[in-house]
Amino acid sequence: MKTLCELNRNDNAVIKEVTNPLVYDSLCSHGFTVGSLIKIISKLPFKGAITCEINNSRFALRACDAANVVVFD
Amino acid sequence: MRTAVLFGPPNTGKSTLFNSLTTKHSNAVNYPGSTVDIYMAPLKLHPSLMLIDAPGIQSLVPQSPEEHLALTTITQLNQRIDADHNIPDLIVCIADITQADRHVAMAKRLIDDGYPVILVLTMLDEAIKQGIDIDTKKLSTALGVQVFKCNAKAPECLKELVECMAQSSGPCGRIIQPKNVHIDDMVTAYEWSRATIRQCQVERQRKATVDLDAWLLHPVAGYFIFLLVMGGLFCFLFYVSAPFMDAIDASFSLLGRVVAPWLPNSLQNFVVNGLLSGVAGVMVFVPQIAMLFFGLGIMESSGFLARSAVLIDHPFRKVGLNGRSFVPLLSGCACAVPAILATRVIPNQRVRRLTMAIIPLMQCSARLPVYGLLLSTLFTSSLAKAMALTGIYVISIFISAVVLAVANRWVPSSRNADAPFIIELPKWRWPDFQGLVRDTFRKTSKFLVGAGPIILGISLGLWGMAEIQINNQPLIYILGHFISPIVQPMGVDWRVGVAILLSFAAREVFVSALAIVHHMSSQSLADSVASTHGLFTPASAVGLVLFFMVAMQCGATVVVLKNEMKSLRWPILILVAYICLAYALAVLANMVL
């Protein structure tokens, strides 16, 4: 198991859980729900934003927020 | 009057549909969160039904101020408008057909709660590209409400939708007290929606497309392209608008020569050298302002702005902002007022306050006439002026960073400081150039309509002050000499002081006020001032540029800041702090240079 920020560009994974309750509502609102397939589109340098595709939508989130998303790769 | 609300996730085409169904214009662009307020207008084809365009909302659990506002349009409508019920007569749920498995969940949740809903699937062109289609009959049966596929630009689609809206909307007696939705209710709705859409989806052939995000969000190429585009925007601003500016300038000179012989002597000086030259001083910059609106429009409608916000998030975080601050700050280069309203998309209150605080430091379009005049006294070649103007934007970014470093210590932490930075990237689109030209014309006209009466009013006021005599001295002279000791350390005399004072109404008034005070055209003002009248020295001109870069002169900005910050303390503090800083910089420049 990895977190979202540990995945590389073009990696696919399935969301297992969102660990931080403080960001849970916001991530769920954007469709980051358990069982969703996720693909990494780009990763910006120096722990910059991670862009991912989920349910045909693209989102960018900070590496620190992505670290709260645990995935099966 | 019966009411229908357009409700749904951001960037699904609600505002485009609103503009097509009504005669009113709501801002429709290609990035999430462009609508931050509610707009309403009766339907064109059915005027007894009032249509409301609400800001986009990701789920029924709101995360930011504009999402709270959207939710109140379906739960406490009569707090927002003069409506008969708390609940609208109809909710028109908008869903992007390419993201239906997430967007339909909101409609499902509302239907389960007893709201009167119809579902409209949009973004059909994008669905064709991606080979996605949905069987609306199947989806309608699964949801138990009517489902439409709608292209906002196709009249037959709109007619059918309006007929359905007119028939479906009736007083909703089913809900007495809307219940609060928990995020887990939304997760259940997502699961239902995902399974249902899978059954209703019809696979079609997918068109081959280039993934621009692979380049635009590339760790190296992304930043390079970003800088190239921003640099290109400013070059476009200066070089494309130059011939139009020359043409306007020549037209006003000709108008002055034609009109002068027809006027009585008492009015000739005021009309030709004061009013006309003052208006020309602002009008001459209209092409540049229009190009700015057009350039920003291309960035908005293509989807580039959202990508820029992602790229800029990391450097912004170092100064206490986040990527969501980028769009309001860039909008601030056009006008501070809508830019401050655009900060509603920032969920973190602290970041929002900091963003609002530095928006007045962004160089809005109203400052262009002032810089145009002052830079004319410093440089002769247009390349040097263009470089200097670019320098002004760069220096203002540096000043903003310094102000943020100081403000970070002062602005208290907010309750939702841990709100994550997550931004939805809209699909790439070709800008609709016809719509862009229309929008540019509308925004430029709004600028002129707003500035026109102020310039005219102040011109008449100044003329009156020059005519009224107290103790054989014109009133303007008395006022000017009262201001003189304050502006003298900046290296300017009472005439410039009067123009600065009047520019607190609107920045562009500085040029027209100065022209009237001196009874000469703004162009000749620029040419002759440095050499003969000694109105500006190079040092005082640099000082004035710095003053206008920092000072928050616009009254409307203060009012909007007060409304958005819900306090008078912060806007007053910002106003006083910026004026003091601007004054100190101007005095320093005059002393050092």
Side-chain angles (χ1 to χ4, degrees), chain A residues 22 24-25 28-30 33 36 42-44 46-47 51 56-62 65, chain B residues 59 98-99 130 183-184 190 194 211 213 217 310 313-314 317 322 420-423 425 427:
Chain A
L22 294 170
Y24 177 79
D25 282 12
C28 281
S29 295
H30 288 82
T33 53
S36 299
S42 83
K43 283 178 87 171
L44 292 177
F46 311 113
K47 292 187 179 175
T51 308
N56 207 24
S57 309
R58 284 189 178 181
F59 297 98
L61 66 166
R62 280 180 178 166
D65 296 323
Chain B
S59 77
T98 63
Q99 299 175 48
Q130 295 189 22
I183 192 69
D184 290 338
Y190 287 139
R194 204 177 299 166
D211 190 357
D213 285 341
L217 294 171
V310 174
D313 176 62
H314 197 58
R317 199 162 26 145
N322 73 31
F421 168 74
I422 177 162
I423 188 164
L425 301 179
K427 302 275 187 304

mmCIF file of all heavy atoms in Angstrom, chain A residues 22 24-25 28-30 33 36 42-44 46-47 51 56-62 65, chain B residues 59 98-99 130 183-184 190 194 211 213 217 310 313-314 317 322 420-423 425 427:
data_model
loop_
_atom_site.group_PDB
_atom_site.id
_atom_site.type_symbol
_atom_site.label_atom_id
_atom_site.label_comp_id
_atom_site.label_asym_id
_atom_site.label_seq_id
_atom_site.Cartn_x
_atom_site.Cartn_y
_atom_site.Cartn_z
ATOM 1 N N LEU A 22 -9.638 15.744 8.746
ATOM 2 C CA LEU A 22 -9.772 17.174 8.439
ATOM 3 C C LEU A 22 -9.938 17.433 6.942
ATOM 4 O O LEU A 22 -10.508 18.440 6.537
ATOM 5 C CB LEU A 22 -8.541 17.950 8.953
ATOM 6 C CG LEU A 22 -8.373 17.997 10.465
ATOM 7 C CD1 LEU A 22 -7.024 18.572 10.838
ATOM 8 C CD2 LEU A 22 -9.487 18.828 11.099
ATOM 9 N N TYR A 24 -11.067 14.878 4.857
ATOM 10 C CA TYR A 24 -11.954 13.829 4.342
ATOM 11 C C TYR A 24 -13.146 14.409 3.580
ATOM 12 O O TYR A 24 -13.425 14.006 2.444
ATOM 13 C CB TYR A 24 -12.418 12.964 5.524
ATOM 14 C CG TYR A 24 -13.397 11.873 5.154
ATOM 15 C CD1 TYR A 24 -12.948 10.686 4.573
ATOM 16 C CD2 TYR A 24 -14.768 12.024 5.388
ATOM 17 C CE1 TYR A 24 -13.835 9.684 4.227
ATOM 18 C CE2 TYR A 24 -15.660 11.029 5.041
ATOM 19 C CZ TYR A 24 -15.203 9.860 4.466
ATOM 20 O OH TYR A 24 -16.090 8.885 4.108
ATOM 21 N N ASP A 25 -13.842 15.374 4.191
ATOM 22 C CA ASP A 25 -15.050 15.941 3.567
ATOM 23 C C ASP A 25 -14.737 16.546 2.205
ATOM 24 O O ASP A 25 -15.441 16.312 1.229
ATOM 25 C CB ASP A 25 -15.651 17.045 4.453
ATOM 26 C CG ASP A 25 -16.427 16.473 5.613
ATOM 27 O OD1 ASP A 25 -16.294 15.253 5.852
ATOM 28 O OD2 ASP A 25 -17.141 17.240 6.277
ATOM 29 N N CYS A 28 -13.752 13.829 -0.369
ATOM 30 C CA CYS A 28 -14.942 13.041 -0.757
ATOM 31 C C CYS A 28 -15.850 13.863 -1.674
ATOM 32 O O CYS A 28 -16.415 13.345 -2.628
ATOM 33 C CB CYS A 28 -15.723 12.601 0.471
ATOM 34 S SG CYS A 28 -14.977 11.198 1.269
ATOM 35 N N SER A 29 -15.986 15.167 -1.373
ATOM 36 C CA SER A 29 -16.832 16.036 -2.197
ATOM 37 C C SER A 29 -16.355 16.065 -3.638
ATOM 38 O O SER A 29 -17.140 16.265 -4.555
ATOM 39 C CB SER A 29 -16.797 17.476 -1.679
ATOM 40 O OG SER A 29 -17.362 17.536 -0.423
ATOM 41 N N HIS A 30 -15.048 15.892 -3.815
ATOM 42 C CA HIS A 30 -14.483 15.911 -5.166
ATOM 43 C C HIS A 30 -14.436 14.519 -5.787
ATOM 44 O O HIS A 30 -13.842 14.339 -6.846
ATOM 45 C CB HIS A 30 -13.080 16.529 -5.147
ATOM 46 C CG HIS A 30 -13.089 18.008 -4.922
ATOM 47 N ND1 HIS A 30 -13.187 18.559 -3.671
ATOM 48 C CD2 HIS A 30 -13.047 19.054 -5.788
ATOM 49 C CE1 HIS A 30 -13.188 19.873 -3.770
ATOM 50 N NE2 HIS A 30 -13.108 20.205 -5.039
ATOM 51 N N THR A 33 -13.478 8.893 -3.329
ATOM 52 C CA THR A 33 -14.146 7.946 -2.441
ATOM 53 C C THR A 33 -13.478 6.576 -2.549
ATOM 54 O O THR A 33 -12.794 6.277 -3.530
ATOM 55 C CB THR A 33 -15.631 7.827 -2.812
ATOM 56 O OG1 THR A 33 -15.717 7.524 -4.202
ATOM 57 C CG2 THR A 33 -16.384 9.100 -2.529
ATOM 58 N N SER A 36 -12.476 4.202 -5.813
ATOM 59 C CA SER A 36 -12.342 4.948 -7.087
ATOM 60 C C SER A 36 -10.969 4.699 -7.702
ATOM 61 O O SER A 36 -9.956 4.666 -7.001
ATOM 62 C CB SER A 36 -12.505 6.445 -6.854
ATOM 63 O OG SER A 36 -13.766 6.711 -6.345
ATOM 64 N N SER A 42 0.442 14.282 -13.550
ATOM 65 C CA SER A 42 1.733 14.978 -13.448
ATOM 66 C C SER A 42 2.083 15.225 -11.990
ATOM 67 O O SER A 42 1.195 15.229 -11.110
ATOM 68 C CB SER A 42 1.692 16.302 -14.208
ATOM 69 O OG SER A 42 1.121 17.296 -13.405
ATOM 70 N N LYS A 43 3.368 15.389 -11.763
ATOM 71 C CA LYS A 43 3.835 15.734 -10.407
ATOM 72 C C LYS A 43 4.800 16.896 -10.554
ATOM 73 O O LYS A 43 5.785 16.794 -11.292
ATOM 74 C CB LYS A 43 4.572 14.550 -9.778
ATOM 75 C CG LYS A 43 3.657 13.451 -9.270
ATOM 76 C CD LYS A 43 4.456 12.298 -8.699
ATOM 77 C CE LYS A 43 4.778 12.525 -7.234
ATOM 78 N NZ LYS A 43 5.371 11.309 -6.622
ATOM 79 N N LEU A 44 4.509 18.011 -9.878
ATOM 80 C CA LEU A 44 5.389 19.180 -9.985
ATOM 81 C C LEU A 44 6.554 19.037 -9.001
ATOM 82 O O LEU A 44 6.413 18.367 -7.971
ATOM 83 C CB LEU A 44 4.595 20.466 -9.723
ATOM 84 C CG LEU A 44 3.565 20.796 -10.800
ATOM 85 C CD1 LEU A 44 2.779 22.036 -10.438
ATOM 86 C CD2 LEU A 44 4.222 20.991 -12.161
ATOM 87 N N PHE A 46 9.715 19.758 -6.246
ATOM 88 C CA PHE A 46 9.816 20.316 -4.882
ATOM 89 C C PHE A 46 8.503 20.161 -4.095
ATOM 90 O O PHE A 46 8.003 21.131 -3.522
ATOM 91 C CB PHE A 46 10.239 21.789 -4.934
ATOM 92 C CG PHE A 46 11.415 22.044 -5.818
ATOM 93 C CD1 PHE A 46 11.284 22.786 -6.987
ATOM 94 C CD2 PHE A 46 12.651 21.516 -5.500
ATOM 95 C CE1 PHE A 46 12.371 23.010 -7.813
ATOM 96 C CE2 PHE A 46 13.737 21.736 -6.334
ATOM 97 C CZ PHE A 46 13.607 22.484 -7.486
ATOM 98 N N LYS A 47 7.955 18.971 -4.138
ATOM 99 C CA LYS A 47 6.697 18.669 -3.424
ATOM 100 C C LYS A 47 5.571 19.615 -3.851
ATOM 101 O O LYS A 47 4.769 20.075 -3.035
ATOM 102 C CB LYS A 47 6.901 18.727 -1.911
ATOM 103 C CG LYS A 47 7.798 17.599 -1.407
ATOM 104 C CD LYS A 47 7.854 17.576 0.094
ATOM 105 C CE LYS A 47 8.728 16.425 0.564
ATOM 106 N NZ LYS A 47 8.921 16.421 2.006
ATOM 107 N N THR A 51 -1.255 16.239 -10.051
ATOM 108 C CA THR A 51 -2.484 16.242 -10.849
ATOM 109 C C THR A 51 -2.896 14.795 -11.098
ATOM 110 O O THR A 51 -2.058 13.971 -11.484
ATOM 111 C CB THR A 51 -2.258 16.958 -12.192
ATOM 112 O OG1 THR A 51 -1.681 18.226 -11.921
ATOM 113 C CG2 THR A 51 -3.549 17.147 -12.947
ATOM 114 N N ASN A 56 -12.978 10.364 -14.708
ATOM 115 C CA ASN A 56 -12.968 11.233 -15.887
ATOM 116 C C ASN A 56 -12.838 12.729 -15.559
ATOM 117 O O ASN A 56 -13.056 13.580 -16.414
ATOM 118 C CB ASN A 56 -14.232 10.997 -16.732
ATOM 119 C CG ASN A 56 -14.001 11.309 -18.184
ATOM 120 O OD1 ASN A 56 -12.867 11.278 -18.651
ATOM 121 N ND2 ASN A 56 -15.065 11.640 -18.903
ATOM 122 N N SER A 57 -12.548 13.062 -14.290
ATOM 123 C CA SER A 57 -12.308 14.469 -13.908
ATOM 124 C C SER A 57 -10.847 14.592 -13.496
ATOM 125 O O SER A 57 -10.283 13.639 -12.953
ATOM 126 C CB SER A 57 -13.153 14.869 -12.707
ATOM 127 O OG SER A 57 -14.484 14.537 -12.899
ATOM 128 N N ARG A 58 -10.281 15.763 -13.733
ATOM 129 C CA ARG A 58 -8.895 15.980 -13.325
ATOM 130 C C ARG A 58 -8.826 16.959 -12.160
ATOM 131 O O ARG A 58 -9.504 17.991 -12.185
ATOM 132 C CB ARG A 58 -8.068 16.507 -14.494
ATOM 133 C CG ARG A 58 -7.752 15.396 -15.449
ATOM 134 C CD ARG A 58 -6.778 15.773 -16.512
ATOM 135 N NE ARG A 58 -6.543 14.579 -17.331
ATOM 136 C CZ ARG A 58 -5.729 14.535 -18.352
ATOM 137 N NH1 ARG A 58 -5.047 15.592 -18.688
ATOM 138 N NH2 ARG A 58 -5.576 13.424 -19.037
ATOM 139 N N PHE A 59 -8.019 16.615 -11.185
ATOM 140 C CA PHE A 59 -7.852 17.468 -10.013
ATOM 141 C C PHE A 59 -6.373 17.656 -9.731
ATOM 142 O O PHE A 59 -5.568 16.769 -10.017
ATOM 143 C CB PHE A 59 -8.480 16.820 -8.776
ATOM 144 C CG PHE A 59 -9.954 16.621 -8.879
ATOM 145 C CD1 PHE A 59 -10.466 15.389 -9.247
ATOM 146 C CD2 PHE A 59 -10.834 17.652 -8.636
ATOM 147 C CE1 PHE A 59 -11.829 15.189 -9.363
ATOM 148 C CE2 PHE A 59 -12.195 17.462 -8.750
ATOM 149 C CZ PHE A 59 -12.695 16.234 -9.114
ATOM 150 N N ALA A 60 -6.045 18.798 -9.141
ATOM 151 C CA ALA A 60 -4.684 18.996 -8.647
ATOM 152 C C ALA A 60 -4.789 19.173 -7.146
ATOM 153 O O ALA A 60 -5.699 19.862 -6.665
ATOM 154 C CB ALA A 60 -4.077 20.230 -9.283
ATOM 155 N N LEU A 61 -3.926 18.506 -6.418
ATOM 156 C CA LEU A 61 -3.900 18.686 -4.975
ATOM 157 C C LEU A 61 -2.461 18.703 -4.492
ATOM 158 O O LEU A 61 -1.566 18.206 -5.172
ATOM 159 C CB LEU A 61 -4.738 17.647 -4.245
ATOM 160 C CG LEU A 61 -4.392 16.174 -4.243
ATOM 161 C CD1 LEU A 61 -5.202 15.471 -3.173
ATOM 162 C CD2 LEU A 61 -4.676 15.533 -5.558
ATOM 163 N N ARG A 62 -2.261 19.306 -3.323
ATOM 164 C CA ARG A 62 -0.903 19.429 -2.793
ATOM 165 C C ARG A 62 -0.392 18.062 -2.353
ATOM 166 O O ARG A 62 -1.193 17.204 -1.925
ATOM 167 C CB ARG A 62 -0.904 20.359 -1.585
ATOM 168 C CG ARG A 62 -0.926 21.797 -1.962
ATOM 169 C CD ARG A 62 -0.927 22.657 -0.729
ATOM 170 N NE ARG A 62 -0.894 24.063 -1.119
ATOM 171 C CZ ARG A 62 -1.151 25.045 -0.281
ATOM 172 N NH1 ARG A 62 -1.451 24.794 0.970
ATOM 173 N NH2 ARG A 62 -1.098 26.290 -0.689
ATOM 174 N N ASP A 65 -1.578 17.023 1.037
ATOM 175 C CA ASP A 65 -2.957 16.520 1.077
ATOM 176 C C ASP A 65 -3.035 15.136 0.437
ATOM 177 O O ASP A 65 -3.778 14.263 0.913
ATOM 178 C CB ASP A 65 -3.910 17.481 0.356
ATOM 179 C CG ASP A 65 -3.980 18.831 1.052
ATOM 180 O OD1 ASP A 65 -3.934 18.845 2.294
ATOM 181 O OD2 ASP A 65 -4.070 19.854 0.359
ATOM 182 N N SER B 59 -20.484 19.381 -3.543
ATOM 183 C CA SER B 59 -21.398 18.397 -2.935
ATOM 184 C C SER B 59 -22.371 19.179 -2.076
ATOM 185 O O SER B 59 -22.258 20.402 -1.983
ATOM 186 C CB SER B 59 -20.612 17.398 -2.087
ATOM 187 O OG SER B 59 -20.251 17.991 -0.863
ATOM 188 N N THR B 98 -19.824 14.176 -19.237
ATOM 189 C CA THR B 98 -18.579 13.401 -19.206
ATOM 190 C C THR B 98 -18.170 13.042 -17.772
ATOM 191 O O THR B 98 -17.285 12.237 -17.561
ATOM 192 C CB THR B 98 -17.421 14.179 -19.870
ATOM 193 O OG1 THR B 98 -17.176 15.357 -19.112
ATOM 194 C CG2 THR B 98 -17.725 14.530 -21.308
ATOM 195 N N GLN B 99 -18.809 13.693 -16.788
ATOM 196 C CA GLN B 99 -18.499 13.388 -15.386
ATOM 197 C C GLN B 99 -19.774 13.011 -14.645
ATOM 198 O O GLN B 99 -19.927 13.293 -13.446
ATOM 199 C CB GLN B 99 -17.854 14.600 -14.719
ATOM 200 C CG GLN B 99 -16.552 14.995 -15.371
ATOM 201 C CD GLN B 99 -15.991 16.261 -14.791
ATOM 202 O OE1 GLN B 99 -15.909 16.404 -13.579
ATOM 203 N NE2 GLN B 99 -15.613 17.182 -15.640
ATOM 204 N N GLN B 130 -15.047 12.422 -26.457
ATOM 205 C CA GLN B 130 -14.598 11.339 -25.580
ATOM 206 C C GLN B 130 -15.343 10.026 -25.820
ATOM 207 O O GLN B 130 -15.093 9.034 -25.131
ATOM 208 C CB GLN B 130 -14.764 11.757 -24.119
ATOM 209 C CG GLN B 130 -13.883 12.919 -23.752
ATOM 210 C CD GLN B 130 -13.880 13.180 -22.256
ATOM 211 O OE1 GLN B 130 -14.189 12.310 -21.461
ATOM 212 N NE2 GLN B 130 -13.536 14.381 -21.878
ATOM 213 N N ILE B 183 -21.508 14.148 4.781
ATOM 214 C CA ILE B 183 -20.676 13.732 3.649
ATOM 215 C C ILE B 183 -20.879 12.240 3.328
ATOM 216 O O ILE B 183 -20.809 11.826 2.166
ATOM 217 C CB ILE B 183 -19.173 14.078 3.886
ATOM 218 C CG1 ILE B 183 -18.352 13.928 2.602
ATOM 219 C CG2 ILE B 183 -18.548 13.242 4.978
ATOM 220 C CD1 ILE B 183 -18.628 14.916 1.548
ATOM 221 N N ASP B 184 -21.182 11.429 4.358
ATOM 222 C CA ASP B 184 -21.396 9.992 4.096
ATOM 223 C C ASP B 184 -22.654 9.762 3.254
ATOM 224 O O ASP B 184 -22.720 8.794 2.493
ATOM 225 C CB ASP B 184 -21.460 9.213 5.412
ATOM 226 C CG ASP B 184 -20.081 9.151 6.078
ATOM 227 O OD1 ASP B 184 -19.077 9.315 5.342
ATOM 228 O OD2 ASP B 184 -20.007 8.979 7.304
ATOM 229 N N TYR B 190 -22.830 8.906 -4.405
ATOM 230 C CA TYR B 190 -21.798 8.692 -5.438
ATOM 231 C C TYR B 190 -21.798 7.234 -5.881
ATOM 232 O O TYR B 190 -21.702 6.936 -7.076
ATOM 233 C CB TYR B 190 -20.391 9.032 -4.911
ATOM 234 C CG TYR B 190 -20.103 10.501 -4.736
ATOM 235 C CD1 TYR B 190 -19.393 10.968 -3.628
ATOM 236 C CD2 TYR B 190 -20.501 11.434 -5.682
ATOM 237 C CE1 TYR B 190 -19.122 12.305 -3.454
ATOM 238 C CE2 TYR B 190 -20.232 12.774 -5.519
ATOM 239 C CZ TYR B 190 -19.546 13.214 -4.393
ATOM 240 O OH TYR B 190 -19.278 14.547 -4.230
ATOM 241 N N ARG B 194 -22.548 6.057 -9.600
ATOM 242 C CA ARG B 194 -21.532 5.378 -10.397
ATOM 243 C C ARG B 194 -22.102 4.095 -11.009
ATOM 244 O O ARG B 194 -21.922 3.825 -12.199
ATOM 245 C CB ARG B 194 -20.329 5.044 -9.504
ATOM 246 C CG ARG B 194 -19.035 4.894 -10.282
ATOM 247 C CD ARG B 194 -17.873 4.628 -9.359
ATOM 248 N NE ARG B 194 -17.641 5.711 -8.415
ATOM 249 C CZ ARG B 194 -16.867 5.624 -7.333
ATOM 250 N NH1 ARG B 194 -16.258 4.506 -7.060
ATOM 251 N NH2 ARG B 194 -16.706 6.648 -6.547
ATOM 252 N N ASP B 211 -3.009 15.258 -25.192
ATOM 253 C CA ASP B 211 -3.148 15.611 -23.779
ATOM 254 C C ASP B 211 -2.243 16.800 -23.468
ATOM 255 O O ASP B 211 -1.048 16.651 -23.213
ATOM 256 C CB ASP B 211 -2.792 14.404 -22.908
ATOM 257 C CG ASP B 211 -3.164 14.656 -21.461
ATOM 258 O OD1 ASP B 211 -3.625 15.770 -21.155
ATOM 259 O OD2 ASP B 211 -3.000 13.744 -20.642
ATOM 260 N N ASP B 213 -2.194 18.648 -20.920
ATOM 261 C CA ASP B 213 -1.723 18.703 -19.530
ATOM 262 C C ASP B 213 -0.348 18.073 -19.373
ATOM 263 O O ASP B 213 0.400 18.431 -18.459
ATOM 264 C CB ASP B 213 -2.727 18.006 -18.604
ATOM 265 C CG ASP B 213 -3.951 18.867 -18.382
ATOM 266 O OD1 ASP B 213 -3.852 20.082 -18.622
ATOM 267 O OD2 ASP B 213 -4.994 18.324 -17.991
ATOM 268 N N LEU B 217 1.512 20.968 -17.516
ATOM 269 C CA LEU B 217 1.776 20.683 -16.101
ATOM 270 C C LEU B 217 3.069 19.877 -15.944
ATOM 271 O O LEU B 217 3.292 19.234 -14.923
ATOM 272 C CB LEU B 217 0.586 19.930 -15.482
ATOM 273 C CG LEU B 217 -0.713 20.735 -15.410
ATOM 274 C CD1 LEU B 217 -1.879 19.868 -14.999
ATOM 275 C CD2 LEU B 217 -0.564 21.907 -14.441
ATOM 276 N N VAL B 310 -2.430 25.874 -10.521
ATOM 277 C CA VAL B 310 -1.730 24.681 -10.026
ATOM 278 C C VAL B 310 -0.221 24.938 -10.018
ATOM 279 O O VAL B 310 0.465 24.646 -9.038
ATOM 280 C CB VAL B 310 -2.064 23.456 -10.916
ATOM 281 C CG1 VAL B 310 -1.230 22.257 -10.506
ATOM 282 C CG2 VAL B 310 -3.543 23.130 -10.814
ATOM 283 N N ASP B 313 0.873 27.426 -7.238
ATOM 284 C CA ASP B 313 0.534 27.125 -5.840
ATOM 285 C C ASP B 313 1.775 27.056 -4.951
ATOM 286 O O ASP B 313 1.780 27.613 -3.854
ATOM 287 C CB ASP B 313 -0.249 25.816 -5.762
ATOM 288 C CG ASP B 313 -0.531 25.417 -4.326
ATOM 289 O OD1 ASP B 313 -1.229 26.185 -3.656
ATOM 290 O OD2 ASP B 313 -0.038 24.370 -3.866
ATOM 291 N N HIS B 314 2.811 26.366 -5.423
ATOM 292 C CA HIS B 314 3.990 26.144 -4.576
ATOM 293 C C HIS B 314 4.679 27.466 -4.200
ATOM 294 O O HIS B 314 4.897 27.711 -3.013
ATOM 295 C CB HIS B 314 4.948 25.185 -5.279
ATOM 296 C CG HIS B 314 5.953 24.598 -4.349
ATOM 297 N ND1 HIS B 314 5.598 23.866 -3.235
ATOM 298 C CD2 HIS B 314 7.302 24.655 -4.348
ATOM 299 C CE1 HIS B 314 6.685 23.490 -2.601
ATOM 300 N NE2 HIS B 314 7.736 23.958 -3.251
ATOM 301 N N ARG B 317 2.521 29.419 -1.788
ATOM 302 C CA ARG B 317 2.441 28.885 -0.425
ATOM 303 C C ARG B 317 3.535 29.492 0.457
ATOM 304 O O ARG B 317 3.354 29.677 1.650
ATOM 305 C CB ARG B 317 2.582 27.362 -0.473
ATOM 306 C CG ARG B 317 2.075 26.691 0.786
ATOM 307 C CD ARG B 317 1.803 25.239 0.618
ATOM 308 N NE ARG B 317 2.565 24.601 -0.427
ATOM 309 C CZ ARG B 317 3.007 23.346 -0.340
ATOM 310 N NH1 ARG B 317 2.765 22.647 0.732
ATOM 311 N NH2 ARG B 317 3.653 22.784 -1.342
ATOM 312 N N ASN B 322 -2.389 30.518 -1.643
ATOM 313 C CA ASN B 322 -2.376 29.234 -2.343
ATOM 314 C C ASN B 322 -2.796 29.443 -3.797
ATOM 315 O O ASN B 322 -3.134 30.554 -4.203
ATOM 316 C CB ASN B 322 -3.187 28.164 -1.598
ATOM 317 C CG ASN B 322 -4.677 28.337 -1.678
ATOM 318 O OD1 ASN B 322 -5.204 28.835 -2.665
ATOM 319 N ND2 ASN B 322 -5.366 27.926 -0.632
ATOM 320 N N PRO B 420 -7.849 21.627 2.586
ATOM 321 C CA PRO B 420 -6.853 21.230 1.595
ATOM 322 C C PRO B 420 -6.944 22.085 0.332
ATOM 323 O O PRO B 420 -7.996 22.655 0.040
ATOM 324 C CB PRO B 420 -7.225 19.778 1.287
ATOM 325 C CG PRO B 420 -8.668 19.689 1.607
ATOM 326 C CD PRO B 420 -8.951 20.673 2.683
ATOM 327 N N PHE B 421 -5.822 22.149 -0.367
ATOM 328 C CA PHE B 421 -5.841 22.812 -1.677
ATOM 329 C C PHE B 421 -6.159 21.744 -2.705
ATOM 330 O O PHE B 421 -5.368 20.833 -2.942
ATOM 331 C CB PHE B 421 -4.477 23.448 -1.971
ATOM 332 C CG PHE B 421 -4.339 23.901 -3.397
ATOM 333 C CD1 PHE B 421 -5.001 25.033 -3.840
ATOM 334 C CD2 PHE B 421 -3.571 23.196 -4.305
ATOM 335 C CE1 PHE B 421 -4.892 25.452 -5.158
ATOM 336 C CE2 PHE B 421 -3.456 23.609 -5.623
ATOM 337 C CZ PHE B 421 -4.127 24.742 -6.047
ATOM 338 N N ILE B 422 -7.343 21.832 -3.250
ATOM 339 C CA ILE B 422 -7.738 20.893 -4.304
ATOM 340 C C ILE B 422 -8.517 21.672 -5.348
ATOM 341 O O ILE B 422 -9.443 22.405 -5.027
ATOM 342 C CB ILE B 422 -8.525 19.684 -3.728
ATOM 343 C CG1 ILE B 422 -8.990 18.773 -4.851
ATOM 344 C CG2 ILE B 422 -9.658 20.081 -2.843
ATOM 345 C CD1 ILE B 422 -9.375 17.390 -4.377
ATOM 346 N N ILE B 423 -8.081 21.551 -6.568
ATOM 347 C CA ILE B 423 -8.706 22.356 -7.630
ATOM 348 C C ILE B 423 -9.035 21.445 -8.808
ATOM 349 O O ILE B 423 -8.229 20.592 -9.188
ATOM 350 C CB ILE B 423 -7.783 23.538 -8.020
ATOM 351 C CG1 ILE B 423 -8.477 24.483 -8.976
ATOM 352 C CG2 ILE B 423 -6.463 23.090 -8.608
ATOM 353 C CD1 ILE B 423 -7.787 25.834 -9.088
ATOM 354 N N LEU B 425 -9.546 20.664 -12.611
ATOM 355 C CA LEU B 425 -9.024 21.203 -13.866
ATOM 356 C C LEU B 425 -10.078 21.030 -14.957
ATOM 357 O O LEU B 425 -10.451 19.897 -15.273
ATOM 358 C CB LEU B 425 -7.739 20.478 -14.266
ATOM 359 C CG LEU B 425 -6.607 20.546 -13.246
ATOM 360 C CD1 LEU B 425 -5.398 19.778 -13.732
ATOM 361 C CD2 LEU B 425 -6.208 21.991 -12.980
ATOM 362 N N LYS B 427 -11.852 20.924 -18.709
ATOM 363 C CA LYS B 427 -11.369 20.384 -19.992
ATOM 364 C C LYS B 427 -10.811 21.537 -20.835
ATOM 365 O O LYS B 427 -11.307 22.665 -20.759
ATOM 366 C CB LYS B 427 -12.545 19.749 -20.758
ATOM 367 C CG LYS B 427 -13.251 18.630 -19.994
ATOM 368 C CD LYS B 427 -12.561 17.317 -20.187
ATOM 369 C CE LYS B 427 -13.304 16.141 -19.602
ATOM 370 N NZ LYS B 427 -13.661 16.165 -18.215
#
